[in-house]
Amino acid sequence: MPAITATAPGKAILFGEHAVVYGQPAIAVPVTQVKARAIVSPQPDRPRGWVGVQAPDIGLEKTLLDLPEDDPLSRVIGGVLEVTAIPQPPACTIRITSTIPIAAGLGSGAAISVAIIRAFSEFLGRPLHDEQVSNLTFEVEKLHHGTPSGIDNTVITYETPIYFAKTSTDAGNQFVILKVARPFTLVIGDSGVSSPTALTVGDVRQAWLENSEFFEELFVRTGDLVKHARQALEKGDIQVLGQLMDENQALLEKMGVSSAELDRLIQAARQAGAYGAKLSGGGRGGNMIALVPDSAAGEVAEALFTAGATSTLVTIIRS
Ligand code: MEV
C-alpha cells in the first residue's frame, strides 16, 4: 500500500465577505502559491484501526483516539471514516503541513480539511468526489467558525474563481464557476495580526442583532456591488473592479471589521498604483488584497512592506 499525498490551495475573498453569511453573493479565488498538504503513510506494524496524526507546524503528534472529539482534525478524519463506511482503516499515519498562514483570512483551516479528506479517502480506496469533499469540509468549518457561509470550502475544493450564493444550509451546489475574461494580478499583504474568523463573524452577528436595519442595508449594498463585480470580471473590466474593491472596503469599515493596520496597508497599495484594495476574509487583521496593473506588482509589494506588511505574495487570477 503506497503513501498518498494531496494538497489544497489557500483562498482570497475578492468581494462580499461577511454579507455572504447573511445570504448575499460573494466572489472568491484560489491562491495557489500557498498550500496545505496531507500525506497518509501505511504503518504495517500497527494494528488495524490505528491512526497516527502529525502536524509538526503546531507541534502535534497524537493518535486519533487521543485527540478530543471536537478537535477539527478528529472530526475531519472521523468524517472520512463515516462517509467511506470504513470504521477500522488499515493502520496509518496522517502527516499535515501547510504554508498557508493561520488566522489570516486565507482559508488555512478549510485547506487542511480538503487535503486530509482527499489523501485519506484515496488511501482507503474510496476517493470522495468534489461535492462530498466540500460538504465534509463545511461540517468541519462549523467548528472553526460557527456559522460559515460555505464559500471557503467551495473555492478551495474546486480550486477555481467562483461566484457563491448561499441558498440553504446545505453546502452543495451554491456556486457558479466564474469565467474571468482577462487574467489579473493581485498583491496580497499580511498585516501580521492574527484574527480568527470565528471572532469577527461572531462580532458582526452581535452588531447585526443590535442594529439589524443598519447592517441589513450594508449587506444588501454589498450584494449589489458583488453582482456588478461579477459583470466586470466577465467583461475583463479591471479598472471597474478596482473601484468596486474600494467601495466594498468602505462597507466593511462600516461593519467594523477593518483595523488601523489593514487601513494603512490598503492606503499604501492605492498610493503605489493599485486599481483598488480591500481587506480579505474575516478582517481585523490577517490579509488585505490589492488589484494592480501587472507592471506595478513589485512596487505595490514594496510599499506594503514599508507600511508594515509582514509578508506579501503576488498571484495571477485566471479561469
Ligand atoms: C471568511 O473567509 C469569509 C466570511 O464571510 C465568513 C464566511 O463566509 O463563512 C467572513
Side-chain angles (χ1 to χ4, degrees):
M1 196 178 256
I4 305 286
T5 300
T7 62
K11 68 96 205 342
I13 307 280
L14 270 193
F15 293 99
E17 51 274 271
H18 288 293
V20 67
V21 174
Y22 299 82
Q24 297 295 335
I27 295 174
V29 295
V31 176
T32 51
Q33 280 80 358
V34 284
K35 280 195 187 309
R37 181 182 304 271
I39 305 174
V40 185
S41 318
Q43 298 293 334
D45 297 339
R46 302 276 189 179
R48 202 176 169 92
W50 187 91
V51 178
V53 184
Q54 301 174 347
D57 300 345
I58 53 166
L60 180 119
E61 178 149 13
K62 287 202 160 141
T63 66
L64 180 58
L65 277 181
D66 295 334
L67 283 174
E69 251 178 52
D70 61 351
D71 184 290
L73 292 174
S74 163
R75 283 286 174 93
V76 74
I77 297 165
V80 173
L81 295 175
E82 218 174 286
V83 178
T84 55
I86 303 180
Q88 289 287 308
C92 61
T93 298
I94 303 178
R95 184 179 172 84
I96 304 132
T97 54
S98 175
T99 56
I100 309 173
I102 297 171
L106 291 181
S108 113
I112 286 170
S113 294
V114 168
I116 293 174
I117 296 166
R118 290 225 163 101
F120 193 38
S121 65
E122 191 177 333
F123 176 81
L124 296 173
R126 309 257 171 90
L128 300 188
H129 55 72
D130 285 346
E131 194 175 344
Q132 290 171 305
V133 173
S134 185
N135 282 342
L136 182 49
T137 301
F138 181 63
E139 291 308 312
V140 180
E141 282 293 282
K142 289 182 187 162
L143 295 176
H144 286 294
H145 61 89
T147 56
S149 62
I151 192 169
D152 287 12
N153 48 283
T154 307
V155 68
I156 289 169
T157 299
Y158 291 89
E159 217 170 310
T160 184
I162 59 164
Y163 177 87
F164 177 93
K166 181 170 129 170
T167 49
S168 66
T169 49
D170 172 25
N173 292 330
Q174 308 189 85
F175 68 100
V176 288
I177 291 176
L178 272 181
K179 287 268 158 289
V180 176
R182 199 146 68 83
F184 60 91
T185 304
L186 285 183
V187 181
I188 304 180
D190 194 338
S191 68
V193 178
S194 162
S195 177
T197 307
L199 291 184
T200 51
V201 169
D203 286 354
V204 170
R205 180 162 298 274
Q206 191 54 38
W208 168 70
L209 287 172
E210 284 164 14
N211 201 350
S212 55
E213 217 171 292
F214 177 70
F215 272 79
E216 288 295 342
E217 197 202 319
L218 293 179
F219 296 153
V220 169
R221 282 171 61 192
T222 304
D224 290 345
L225 184 153
V226 172
K227 289 172 201 152
H228 194 168
R230 177 184 178 175
Q231 290 168 356
L233 266 175
E234 289 173 341
K235 278 198 236 147
D237 207 339
I238 304 291
Q239 304 224 0
V240 170
L241 270 184
Q243 284 161 18
L244 290 168
M245 274 189 176
D246 289 347
E247 284 173 32
N248 196 168
Q249 172 63 18
L251 293 170
L252 288 161
E253 283 168 22
K254 292 203 171 101
M255 289 177 209
V257 292
S258 200
S259 69
E261 291 84 358
L262 286 168
D263 292 349
R264 201 161 44 239
L265 298 185
I266 289 164
Q267 207 47 41
R270 289 176 185 154
Q271 275 164 8
Y275 293 124
K278 62 182 275 294
L279 67 85
S280 180
R284 292 264 173 76
N287 279 273
M288 49 70 68
I289 55 175
L291 177 64
V292 302
D294 299 349
S295 58
E299 218 168 298
V300 171
E302 198 60 46
L304 289 176
F305 272 123
T306 309
T310 50
S311 66
T312 63
L313 59 96
V314 178
T315 186
I316 296 178
I317 308 297
R318 42 172 61 91
S319 286

